[in-house]
Amino acid sequence: MNKKIPLKQRLFRISHLLFAVFLLIQILPPAMSKIRGKTELAIADSAVHAVVFMAAVEIMLIAVSLTVKKRETLVLFSDVSAFVYIVFIAWTLATAKFNFISEQLFPPPGIVLRQVITDVTPLLGHISASLLLIAKGFSLACVTAIPLGLVFGSSARFGTAASMVSKFIGAIPPVVYIPYGIALLPTFKTVSAMVIFLASFWPIFGGTMNGIMLIDRNIVNSARTLGVRRVSMLFDITLNAALPQILLGASQALTVSFILLTSAEMIAARNGLGYYVKNYSDLGNYTRTIVGVIVIGIVISLVFFAFNRLQRFLLRWK
Amino acid sequence: MKNKIDISGLIVEYGERGGKNLALDGVTFSVPEGQFVSVVGSSGCGKSTLLYVLGGLCGFTGGTVLIDGKPVTGPGSDRGFVFQQYSLFPWMTARKNVMFGVAQVRRGYPRREIRAVADEYLNKVGLTNAAHRYPSRLSGGMQQRVAIARTLAMGADVLLMDEPFGAVDAKNRVLLQELLLDLWSDETKRKTVVFVTHDLDEAIFLSDRIIMLTDSPGSVYLDIAVEFPRPRYRDEMMKSIVYDDFRRTLFADFFGQKEKKIERDSFII
Ligand SMILES: Nc1ncnc2c1ncn2[C@@H]1O[C@H](COP(=O)(O)OP(=O)(O)OP(=O)(O)O)[C@@H](O)[C@H]1O
Ligand SMILES: [Mg+2]
């Protein structure tokens, strides 16, 4: 594990080659077909944005490569940046250089990047609006579903019944709650939080009960012979033993939450990332639509990255 | 000496709908305080069931089971249980596992004190250096040492052990047996031990007395004292002629019983 990584391995990576390729394709002449004076300028200008961004990625990669301790992290970072380079190379070629795709629908990377920079403040506002809703619905689901799951799961009689009910309700695609929510609840925010709560509740509830049913008999017997009392049994033993399954349910819930939130925001919101995408695609501003899609992707990835870290920490004993 | 455990006419039936499964059929024996008893018998004869009844983990259909003259109604901190494996809480480190056990019997004690007791017993089983590790990072033998430390640290008078070394390799098994004997004889007030195994050599080396159960449904087939002086040294013991003889008779009983059973079965067919 602690073997030193030789400098050669740190720096001779395919990613750097891809970066060079990306720089090289900038020399290619822009697509001639539809170029009018203005667009040509804009594309040339935007290429600068793309190159600066890629250079930043490259510098970061080099910095990480030189300092990272674990080989796996090094490989991960260079693979991720290789992926980013490939996407940008393909994107640049398909748009600015050969114009395979209509530039109206799919602007070159530089223009999208420039748009991100201009829109940074409103984007942050949309991100926090979306995350706030997720946080509300999801955490409400956690604090209700886990205790209820523990109570129902611990009872032999109600456990099987509750588990069947949760399988049935959990099988209903939660999108169907949206129209009901809109009809019944006063504001869009409450609708979204409610729908996210409903959608998150069942996977977490089911996961908790599942976890309890999967507890090793030895663990329970062992706790009983220690003379563990009821409350302690629930919180020190059952909850911990069921934790892997609870977290599994929670990660499903989180996935569903994001899908629902963006769908809900597309239907009836005044802010949030889903609204941003929907609004600008309605207005025919595809640069911003793509910005929105990419930002959604990044935000979801970061949330899941954080969630996985938390999960790894909570299950460090496995 | 007064009896610590009194079992008489114990019947345990596992009732599944339709077919009833008789696991124990009239087990009767008593264990005086401070005695080390091994219960042996072939697989499925009801050894674990017997121990679970003593531990209060399993109800019974008939008979009486007394600890210190009082009927067993459920698990209690007067009895410590060591299972064959996987009985540590995997989300607690070795030390936390022992501390958690100690905390159940010393309610309201300051954490510092509980930790000191835990560390003392981890030290006794030679695991001071592994105290911070999670069970998944310990070998099977080490896990059993932690389980033993936890049970001893709780200070129960009666130890119930269900094949505690059954999943440990031969070499570690021998080491663990010696450790267990050392710990057991070190205690000022000797604990009463009921030790389930199907390893006859293990039973002879450890115990004052061996109870052999019949094949399923279990009842007492043989109840025999093991009169080797303590402290016991494995090498010397194994070399003695008395040991050889004793072992041979015991094995003959163990396997003879099976043959008889087979004869009877074939007769029925
Ligand atoms: N929870 C249970 N429900 C129904 N039957 C059971 C249960 N536990 C054990 N039995 C049955 O009771 C009998 C005795 O089982 P027990 O586990 O006590 O045997 P054992 O002597 O400990 O066997 P082994 O040496 O394999 O551990 C067996 O026939 C077994 O199938
Ligand atoms: Mg058994």
Side-chain angles (χ1 to χ4, degrees):
Chain A
M1 276 298 258
N2 279 328
K3 256 188 300 170
K4 275 252 183 80
I5 311 169
L7 200 63
K8 222 168 119 187
Q9 265 188 35
R10 286 179 183 274
L11 290 180
F12 283 74
R13 301 230 143 241
I14 197 101
S15 327
H16 303 306
L17 198 65
L18 288 167
F19 177 62
V21 171
F22 175 77
L23 291 180
L24 279 178
I25 63 164
Q26 303 301 324
I27 305 171
L28 291 175
M32 294 311 283
S33 60
K34 294 184 198 162
I35 297 288
R36 280 150 278 139
K38 217 171 116 198
T39 335
E40 198 174 4
L41 260 183
I43 289 181
D45 178 39
S46 79
V48 176
H49 282 92
V51 170
V52 168
F53 178 71
M54 289 289 99
V57 173
E58 179 67 12
I59 288 170
M60 212 160 70
L61 173 64
I62 292 175
V64 169
S65 303
L66 287 175
T67 51
V68 79
K69 289 205 181 62
K70 272 196 274 180
R71 190 181 300 265
E72 297 93 79
T73 330
L74 173 64
V75 172
L76 179 74
F77 262 89
S78 45
D79 285 357
V80 168
S81 40
F83 178 76
V84 172
Y85 293 150
I86 289 173
V87 168
F88 269 71
I89 290 169
W91 187 357
T92 310
L93 290 177
T95 55
K97 299 304 173 188
F98 293 109
N99 222 345
F100 290 147
I101 319 170
S102 146
E103 64 196 29
Q104 289 301 313
L105 283 177
F106 218 93
I111 292 186
V112 172
L113 282 169
R114 202 179 48 194
Q115 190 70 64
V116 172
I117 295 167
T118 353
D119 276 5
V120 130
T121 328
L123 273 174
L124 286 177
H126 291 301
I127 292 174
S128 58
S130 291
L131 287 182
L132 196 67
L133 278 182
I134 294 265
K136 271 186 197 156
F138 183 75
S139 53
L140 187 63
C142 285
V143 299
T144 51
I146 296 173
L148 282 174
L150 282 178
V151 169
F152 278 93
S154 312
S155 141
R157 184 170 153 198
F158 294 115
T160 19
S163 158
M164 277 168 71
V165 171
S166 93
K167 282 212 183 78
F168 173 73
I169 302 184
I172 300 172
V175 191
V176 303
Y177 304 137
I178 298 177
Y180 275 98
I182 292 174
L184 294 174
L185 294 167
T187 67
F188 170 75
K189 292 238 158 83
T190 43
V191 176
S192 301
M194 198 64 207
V195 169
I196 290 169
F197 163 72
L198 280 177
S200 306
F201 182 87
W202 298 106
I204 301 175
F205 183 66
T208 308
M209 286 198 304
N210 210 13
I212 293 177
M213 280 187 266
L214 290 177
I215 295 179
D216 196 330
R217 278 181 59 85
N218 268 319
I219 296 286
V220 179
N221 278 335
S222 170
R224 287 179 63 201
T225 58
L226 297 184
V228 178
R229 288 187 189 168
R230 248 195 134 103
V231 175
S232 165
M233 190 76 165
L234 213 54
F235 290 103
D236 292 329
I237 308 298
T238 314
L239 181 62
N240 276 298
L243 198 58
Q245 299 292 322
I246 296 178
L247 289 171
L248 197 66
S251 86
Q252 285 170 7
L254 208 53
T255 311
V256 179
S257 298
F258 273 106
I259 296 174
L260 277 179
L261 177 73
T262 36
S263 330
E265 282 175 343
M266 284 184 169
I267 297 175
R270 293 270 127 249
N271 57 9
L273 289 169
Y275 163 77
Y276 183 90
V277 169
K278 176 79 164 95
N279 184 38
Y280 285 117
S281 74
D282 285 351
L283 295 176
N285 185 336
Y286 291 101
T287 305
R288 283 188 158 129
T289 308
I290 289 174
V291 167
V293 169
I294 292 174
V295 170
I296 289 177
I298 293 174
V299 166
I300 295 182
S301 310
L302 287 178
V303 169
F304 271 92
F305 178 76
F307 184 83
N308 285 339
R309 274 298 163 95
L310 177 73
Q311 185 167 5
R312 277 235 302 270
F313 172 74
L314 290 175
L315 301 182
R316 61 193 179 284
W317 44 270
K318 280 216 116 177
Chain B
M1 221 187 294
K2 117 176 168 278
N3 280 343
K4 193 78 184 170
I5 301 172
D6 279 297
I7 304 174
S8 80
L10 175 63
I11 294 174
V12 177
E13 237 171 22
Y14 286 109
E16 287 126 45
R17 232 170 290 147
K20 271 189 186 142
N21 181 5
L22 193 60
L24 291 177
D25 186 13
V27 173
T28 302
F29 67 91
S30 297
V31 185
E33 185 156 12
Q35 193 173 57
F36 197 124
V37 188
S38 284
V39 175
V40 298
S42 50
S43 192
C45 74
K47 305 181 295 293
S48 295
T49 304
L50 173 63
L51 219 55
Y52 276 47
V53 168
L54 282 172
L57 293 172
C58 164
F60 47 98
T61 323
T64 52
V65 180
L66 308 176
I67 305 269
D68 281 325
K70 288 189 287 285
V72 170
T73 52
S77 52
D78 54 335
R79 285 150 288 154
F81 213 113
V82 180
F83 297 85
Q84 180 169 354
Q85 54 183 344
Y86 307 128
S87 60
L88 298 177
F89 303 123
W91 54 89
M92 297 183 193
T93 60
R95 177 185 284 124
K96 285 271 169 56
N97 262 287
V98 181
M99 285 175 67
F100 186 75
V102 176
Q104 305 308 312
V105 286
R106 305 197 182 192
R107 288 185 193 278
Y109 279 57
R111 230 183 123 67
R112 195 167 21 83
E113 232 166 275
I114 290 175
R115 189 184 156 117
V117 177
D119 282 347
E120 180 195 334
Y121 279 87
L122 281 171
N123 186 33
K124 282 190 183 180
V125 298
L127 284 181
T128 304
N129 290 327
H132 62 283
R133 289 212 241 158
Y134 288 100
S136 58
R137 268 71 149 183
L138 299 172
S139 71
M142 289 161 105
Q143 290 182 27
Q144 289 309 80
R145 270 146 73 188
V146 178
I148 291 171
R150 179 171 73 182
T151 310
L152 291 179
M154 292 176 68
D157 295 341
V158 178
L159 283 191
L160 306 170
M161 309 181 93
D162 189 6
E163 298 192 48
F165 310 142
V168 178
D169 68 87
K171 187 182 164 207
N172 272 298
R173 203 175 169 133
V174 166
L175 296 176
L176 283 172
Q177 289 163 4
E178 278 162 9
L179 174 72
L180 176 64
L181 271 197
D182 283 347
L183 293 174
W184 177 70
S185 13
D186 271 358
E187 301 270 333
T188 36
K189 185 175 162 235
R190 281 212 177 161
K191 294 184 190 305
T192 313
V193 184
V194 182
F195 187 98
V196 164
T197 175
H198 47 221
D199 177 344
L200 291 182
D201 288 305
E202 183 170 72
I204 301 171
F205 177 64
L206 292 175
S207 23
D208 297 317
R209 174 185 172 198
I210 295 176
I211 291 174
M212 193 184 282
L213 298 184
T214 61
D215 284 357
S216 184
S219 57
V220 177
Y221 175 75
L222 187 79
D223 187 341
I224 188 169
V226 186
E227 282 160 350
F228 291 98
R230 293 184 192 271
R232 292 176 181 171
Y233 302 102
R234 187 182 300 271
D235 294 342
E236 280 175 31
M237 225 170 123
M238 302 267 247
K239 265 184 268 173
S240 74
I241 300 168
V242 194
Y243 179 86
D244 261 359
D245 279 348
F246 185 78
R247 190 171 179 273
R248 204 171 304 123
T249 354
L250 210 58
F251 267 85
D253 274 321
F254 196 53
F255 290 107
Q257 182 200 340
K258 267 221 180 87
E259 276 152 27
K260 259 182 258 159
K261 176 102 192 301
I262 290 165
E263 268 167 39
R264 205 181 61 206
D265 286 351
S266 50
F267 186 71
I268 293 166
I269 294 162

